[in-house]
Amino acid sequence: MLIALAVAVARGRHDGIDTLWGLGFAVIAVVGLIVSGCGWLSTVLTVVWGVRLAAHIQLRNGRRPEDPRYVALMKRATGNPHWYAFRKIYLVQGVIMWFVSWPVQAAQYEGGGIGVFGWLGLVVWLVGFGFESVGDWQLSRFKADPANRGKIMDRGLWRYTRHPNYFGDACVWWGLYLVACQHWLGALTVLSPLVMTFFLTRGTGKALTEKAMGDRPGYAEYVQRTSGFFPLPPKPEGSR
């Protein structure tokens, strides 16, 4: 995190921490594999998820100015702005990353082959990875078309849930938790996917995104007909 802060200071923007979010989990998984010598399934799944997410966010943010969240946060800085950024952004994300990654770390100390929970976890992970990656791809293509400027994305997976990317992310981490449940130690890490799901639904994910989009034309109608998180068939026009 200190290296990430140094890079951010040199660049003059802090949204690089969003790219580091996915890469950080990948690094934790690889280091854990090296130390433990086992846990290939959880390592591969985490690295694939983390690298894809990091690449997506970096490509997206590279075409934009600094994220308004970090601009607003740094305007409230007191004392040394770099120390303030470290405490409010980097240290917080580092602690959350360490806590959420517990199932991955626990799974890397479980010997033996892939059992029932491992295969179930893989299926849940595949569902989540599909929703997250396809949802991000569909949204990127939608925004790249100038004809869609100012419109609400309600096509593809976005027709069934207002947040296929966040739903997919939650499934990824519940899948990794199930992989860890092949041993009692992994089952004890249930708070990790619960915390991740909380952030995705009530924290910096769904709740913050909908607050920012609440005043956009057509969004209220989109909310009425489209599930807020779990994918469901859209409601008929005019229904509540």
Side-chain angles (χ1 to χ4, degrees), residues 133-214:
S133 56
V134 172
D136 283 340
W137 175 74
Q138 289 176 339
L139 184 60
S140 296
R141 288 195 63 187
F142 179 84
K143 289 184 174 181
D145 187 347
N148 294 326
R149 186 177 299 276
K151 296 182 180 180
I152 300 298
M153 171 55 163
D154 59 356
R155 310 169 190 174
L157 295 179
W158 300 82
R159 184 169 183 245
Y160 304 99
T161 166
R162 301 198 296 272
H163 304 282
N165 48 352
Y166 296 146
F167 169 76
D169 205 346
C171 287
V172 162
W173 283 98
W174 281 106
L176 289 168
Y177 169 71
L178 287 171
V179 172
C181 280
Q182 296 186 107
H183 190 271
W184 67 267
L185 179 63
L188 296 179
T189 66
V190 65
L191 287 179
S192 297
L194 283 172
V195 166
M196 176 63 93
T197 304
F198 173 81
F199 280 119
L200 291 169
T201 57
R202 304 289 183 180
T204 57
K206 174 181 179 289
L208 191 62
T209 300
E210 297 202 340
K211 181 179 179 180
M213 297 186 64

Side-chain angles (χ1 to χ4, degrees), residues 1-9 11-18 20-21 66 70 73-74 81-97:
M1 287 300 169
L2 288 172
I3 295 174
L5 175 60
V7 172
V9 171
R11 295 177 66 228
R13 54 191 294 174
H14 293 280
D15 59 357
I17 188 66
D18 295 336
L20 184 61
W21 177 252
E66 170 71 298
Y70 300 121
L73 180 66
M74 294 310 298
H82 304 325
W83 172 238
Y84 181 87
F86 179 75
R87 290 186 292 111
K88 295 294 184 178
I89 302 175
Y90 298 87
L91 183 59
V92 171
Q93 291 219 24
V95 171
I96 294 173
M97 191 182 300

